[in-house]
Amino acid sequence: MSQKWSILFVLSTGLLVVGSTFISPLWVAAGKVAYPCLFRSLEERTECYEDTLPDLFPEFSVREIFSFVKSAQKIEPALADCHFVAHELGQRVVRNNPKRWADFIKEEIPGSICAGGYVHGLTIAAYDHEGLSDKEIERELPVFRKACEGMRFNDRLSCVHGLGHMLYYITGGDVRRSLPLCDRVTSESIVDQSFTDARRCYTGVVMMLFFSFIDPEWEPSKLYSLNRENVQDFCDTFPRPAHRGACMRGSWPIFSEVIETGGGIDVFCANQPDTHETEWCYAKMFLAVGWKNVGELNDIQRICSGVSSAWRKSCHMHTQREILAQGGISGGLPKAIELCELYGLADRNSCYAILAESSGRYTGTSQNDVPRKEFCEKLPEAWRDMCLSAPER
C-alpha cells in the first residue's frame, strides 16, 4: 500500500513539475521543490522533505504551505510525520525578524498539523541562545504572557509548550531559572489541576534536557549529560514536586526501550512525586507513543493493550490525539479509525468514544459546520450522533 501511494505521489507531483495553467501556483512550486525527494526510500523522503518543502517560504505563506502538506499527506506516506518539516519552516519564518515571534506563532493553520513542529522551530530562532540578563528577561516576559492569547484550545496548548522551549533558551540553558518563569507567563485558569498551562510549559523546558537533536549545534543542549543512572538524582534536586515530575517524565527518551515493552509505562511512571504528576506522566508517555509510532499502528495497539486497565482509556485518548495532531481530519482521522479497529471489543468502543468526543476539539461547534460533518461522517454510524453533539474545546 505504501508503494502504491508513493507511485501516485510521484506521478501527480511529476505532472505538477511540468506545470499547468489549471494547477495552483502553490502546487506547481511544491512539485518542483519536492521532486528530488520522490525516488527514495520512505525514511529518506521524509528527511528530504524537511530540507525542501520549507523552501516554499517566503513565496508562499505559512498557512498556504501547511495546506499543501495537509493535502499531500493523503497520497504521500512520508509526510505522515511532518513534525520536522514544520520545525524547519518555523525557524525560517522567524530567523530574519526574531522580534516578531509572537505574531508569527499564530500563523499556523487553525487546528494545526505536524504535532506542533512549527512552534518548536520558531522558538529555536526567536532569541540568541546565549541567554538574557535578568533585566532583559523582565522586559520580555509581557510578550510571553500575551503570545498564546486568543488561540483555540489545541493551538494554545502547542503554543504554551513552545514557550517552555523559549524560556529555556533565554536563560542560556539554565533549567532552574527557566521553570519558575513558566508560572509567570502562563494562566492557571484551567479547572483540571493535573493539566495546567504551567505544567505544559514545564514540559517544554525539560524537553530540552533530553532532546539534544532539536537544536544539536547549540552546546548547552548537551550540558547536563543525563543517563539512566544519574537522572533520578538530578531530578530530585528540584524542590517543587511539579518540577521534579516534569524532569522525570521528560527523561523518557533515555528509557524508550522500557516504555515500548508491555507494562513499561506503568514502571516508568511509578516514580512520580504525587497523583497529579503521575497522571501527567501517563498522558505524556501516551502522546510519545503516538508520536513515535504514527506509522506503526500495531505497536500503539500493543502498548495501549499492555498498560494497566486503569490507564487504558487515557492511552486511547492521548495516542489518538497525537495521530490527529500529526495529520488533522484528512490525514490523521483514517489512521485513528484504523487503530480503533485493531482493538478488541471493549477497547474498540473506548477508542471510538474518544474519537467521537474529539470532534469538539478539532472542529467547529455547529453540527452544520462542514469540518464537523466531515469528521463525524467518517466514524461508524453508531458514533455519529455523539460526535455531532460533542462540545467544543
Side-chain angles (χ1 to χ4, degrees), residues 125-141:
Y127 287 96
D128 183 345
H129 295 358
E130 295 303 313
L132 305 179
S133 67
D134 287 343
K135 184 176 181 179
E136 290 170 326
I137 288 175
E138 290 299 322
R139 185 192 66 213
E140 294 297 308
L141 287 185

Side-chain angles (χ1 to χ4, degrees), residues 46 50 66 69-74 76-87 108-109 111-118 120 154 287-295 297 300 318-336 362:
T46 298
E50 294 166 15
F66 273 116
V69 172
K70 193 170 185 178
S71 297
Q73 283 179 326
K74 299 175 184 178
E76 171 52 297
L79 281 173
D81 179 0
C82 55
H83 184 79
F84 287 101
V85 172
H87 223 279
E108 193 169 9
I109 61 172
S112 184
I113 57 172
C114 306
Y118 172 74
H120 286 187
N154 277 345
L287 288 170
V289 166
W291 173 57
K292 283 193 67 180
N293 299 287
V294 68
L297 300 182
I300 297 177
H318 292 289
T319 54
Q320 293 285 31
R321 285 179 180 175
E322 189 63 20
I323 291 171
L324 291 172
Q326 283 282 11
I329 296 175
S330 60
L333 187 55
K335 282 181 176 291
Y362 294 95

Side-chain angles (χ1 to χ4, degrees), residues 10-121:
V10 168
L11 292 174
S12 59
T13 311
L15 290 172
L16 293 175
V17 172
V18 174
S20 168
T21 56
F22 301 105
I23 302 296
S24 75
L26 170 62
W27 275 81
V28 172
K32 290 178 180 178
V33 300
Y35 193 73
C37 305
L38 298 180
F39 302 96
R40 306 186 185 189
S41 69
L42 183 69
E43 183 176 347
E44 289 172 341
R45 293 202 310 278
T46 298
E47 293 177 358
C48 184
Y49 293 141
E50 294 166 15
D51 295 326
T52 58
L53 290 181
D55 289 342
L56 293 169
F57 182 85
E59 181 180 357
F60 298 96
S61 71
V62 171
R63 292 196 177 197
E64 287 174 321
I65 295 169
F66 273 116
S67 72
F68 166 76
V69 172
K70 193 170 185 178
S71 297
Q73 283 179 326
K74 299 175 184 178
I75 54 174
E76 171 52 297
L79 281 173
D81 179 0
C82 55
H83 184 79
F84 287 101
V85 172
H87 223 279
E88 178 60 29
L89 177 61
Q91 289 191 65
R92 295 193 191 189
V93 166
V94 82
R95 192 173 285 142
N96 294 328
N97 202 344
K99 292 187 180 299
R100 289 193 58 209
W101 69 265
D103 298 323
F104 298 141
I105 208 168
K106 296 179 179 178
E107 288 191 0
E108 193 169 9
I109 61 172
S112 184
I113 57 172
C114 306
Y118 172 74
V119 172
H120 286 187

Side-chain angles (χ1 to χ4, degrees), residues 5-296:
W5 287 119
S6 300
I7 293 170
L8 286 173
F9 192 65
V10 168
L11 292 174
S12 59
T13 311
L15 290 172
L16 293 175
V17 172
V18 174
S20 168
T21 56
F22 301 105
I23 302 296
S24 75
L26 170 62
W27 275 81
V28 172
K32 290 178 180 178
V33 300
Y35 193 73
C37 305
L38 298 180
F39 302 96
R40 306 186 185 189
S41 69
L42 183 69
E43 183 176 347
E44 289 172 341
R45 293 202 310 278
T46 298
E47 293 177 358
C48 184
Y49 293 141
E50 294 166 15
D51 295 326
T52 58
L53 290 181
D55 289 342
L56 293 169
F57 182 85
E59 181 180 357
F60 298 96
S61 71
V62 171
R63 292 196 177 197
E64 287 174 321
I65 295 169
F66 273 116
S67 72
F68 166 76
V69 172
K70 193 170 185 178
S71 297
Q73 283 179 326
K74 299 175 184 178
I75 54 174
E76 171 52 297
L79 281 173
D81 179 0
C82 55
H83 184 79
F84 287 101
V85 172
H87 223 279
E88 178 60 29
L89 177 61
Q91 289 191 65
R92 295 193 191 189
V93 166
V94 82
R95 192 173 285 142
N96 294 328
N97 202 344
K99 292 187 180 299
R100 289 193 58 209
W101 69 265
D103 298 323
F104 298 141
I105 208 168
K106 296 179 179 178
E107 288 191 0
E108 193 169 9
I109 61 172
S112 184
I113 57 172
C114 306
Y118 172 74
V119 172
H120 286 187
L122 184 148
T123 62
I124 290 174
Y127 287 96
D128 183 345
H129 295 358
E130 295 303 313
L132 305 179
S133 67
D134 287 343
K135 184 176 181 179
E136 290 170 326
I137 288 175
E138 290 299 322
R139 185 192 66 213
E140 294 297 308
L141 287 185
V143 182
F144 279 79
R145 281 192 285 268
K146 294 180 180 180
C148 305
E149 289 181 352
M151 290 184 169
R152 277 198 61 179
F153 187 74
N154 277 345
D155 304 318
R156 183 176 59 78
L157 300 187
S158 177
C159 181
V160 169
H161 177 84
L163 296 186
H165 293 332
M166 216 178 303
L167 292 173
Y168 186 71
Y169 286 136
I170 69 172
T171 63
D174 185 344
V175 68
R176 288 179 173 81
R177 287 176 69 205
S178 304
L179 285 168
L181 293 176
C182 283
D183 298 299
R184 299 183 58 191
V185 303
T186 59
S187 168
E188 293 293 351
S189 61
I190 295 179
V191 175
D192 190 322
Q193 294 184 44
S194 297
F195 300 102
T196 62
D197 278 2
R199 279 188 172 87
R200 297 181 193 282
C201 182
Y202 301 155
T203 299
V205 170
V206 300
M207 186 174 171
M208 307 310 295
L209 301 174
F210 305 101
F211 284 78
S212 59
F213 65 81
I214 289 178
D215 200 359
E217 296 179 4
W218 187 45
E219 198 57 35
S221 68
K222 310 177 188 69
L223 181 66
Y224 293 96
S225 299
L226 297 171
N227 54 51
R228 290 190 185 187
E229 286 68 43
N230 66 17
V231 68
Q232 181 77 60
D233 289 340
F234 173 80
C235 293
D236 284 345
T237 64
F238 294 100
R240 287 188 56 191
H243 294 173
R244 291 200 304 276
C247 180
M248 283 307 303
R249 70 176 177 264
S251 71
W252 71 264
I254 300 174
F255 298 92
S256 59
E257 292 179 4
V258 175
I259 290 165
E260 294 277 335
T261 62
I265 293 177
D266 293 314
V267 174
F268 178 79
C269 289
N271 62 0
Q272 291 290 307
D274 60 36
T275 55
H276 292 310
E277 299 310 315
T278 299
E279 186 174 5
W280 214 168
C281 178
Y282 274 97
K284 180 61 181 175
M285 292 312 98
F286 298 145
L287 288 170
V289 166
W291 173 57
K292 283 193 67 180
N293 299 287
V294 68
E296 302 292 340

